[in-house]
Amino acid sequence: VQLQESGPGLVRPSEPMSLTCTVSGDSITSGHYWGWVRQPPGEEMEWIGFIFHTGTTLYNPSLKSRVTISLHPSTNHFSLSLASTTAADTALYYCGRSNYGDFGDFWFEYWGQGSLVTVSS
Amino acid sequence: SYGQTQPQSVSVAPGQTAIITCGGDNIGSKSVQWYRQKPGQAPELVLYFTTDLPSGIPRRFSGSKSADTATLTISGVEAGDEAVYFCQGWDSRRDLVVFGRGTLLTVL
């Protein structure tokens, strides 16, 4: 399974941003969670959210009002949209496939290489 | 930040045992996962469900968890184990995935 992020690189503050994660070697309707994680420079990883193969989403409460994760089965990719960006959204954004046990037991089995997004004027 | 606490760095000689801890009141009753990340590379899962090894990870890697601390143990450390190791769990109070800041493992 391989995942590859693609994104805008540079975003102006207050503008929305979108990232795409293209998946190969698995179908995004296969029964896993598909998620996004970001890492601001010098900071720890921050979970953004998941989307289940059914379309059910689970978001970080601190980002929930600005985040949308969507599935695109016809092209086997999923996407992240983040509204009203600020410099605090500057980060390396990773997509990943997550497996799970009971609710709350999630682990990322596969990760993309990451896509750097800088929010700056 | 809701992140879990990890030591900034751990150094061990080849062949020795490295112990990396991950603590915090967010550990709770859910499992803890461990990843390693080498410079310029994507993170790699090395333990999941607290104690389970993914395919391809040697049995030198093991995990455990007490009430408020999870531990990654790497026995017989090799030069190739040098990386940043970070833990990941679940904050049941806030319903979110949480990560540790990461521990740099240096092989002397």
Side-chain angles (χ1 to χ4, degrees), chain A:
Chain A
V1 178
Q2 293 186 316
L3 299 96
Q4 179 65 59
E5 305 89 349
S6 57
L10 179 66
V11 178
R12 303 296 182 193
S14 80
E15 292 185 353
M17 58 172 272
S18 291
L19 287 159
T20 294
C21 182
T22 301
V23 179
S24 58
D26 191 14
S27 168
I28 61 172
T29 59
S30 67
H32 292 91
Y33 281 89
W34 304 92
W36 291 92
V37 174
R38 68 182 184 180
Q39 187 171 29
E43 300 292 327
E44 67 211 46
M45 296 277 190
E46 180 181 33
W47 172 69
I48 299 171
F50 287 131
I51 187 164
F52 197 43
H53 70 103
T54 58
T56 299
T57 53
L58 185 61
Y59 296 136
N60 185 324
S62 69
L63 297 170
K64 187 175 182 178
S65 63
R66 299 193 293 130
V67 168
T68 303
I69 299 176
S70 303
L71 290 175
H72 305 271
S74 63
T75 47
N76 210 43
H77 79 269
F78 61 103
S79 62
L80 167 69
S81 296
L82 184 64
S84 306
T85 56
T86 69
D89 295 314
T90 294
L92 187 58
Y93 285 76
Y94 294 97
C95 63
R97 190 186 90 173
S98 178
N99 210 339
Y100 59 98
D102 292 334
F103 184 80
D105 290 315
F106 299 105
W107 56 92
F108 286 91
E109 296 177 301
Y110 299 99
W111 297 69
Q113 289 294 319
S115 177
L116 180 62
V117 176
T118 302
V119 181
S120 175
S121 56

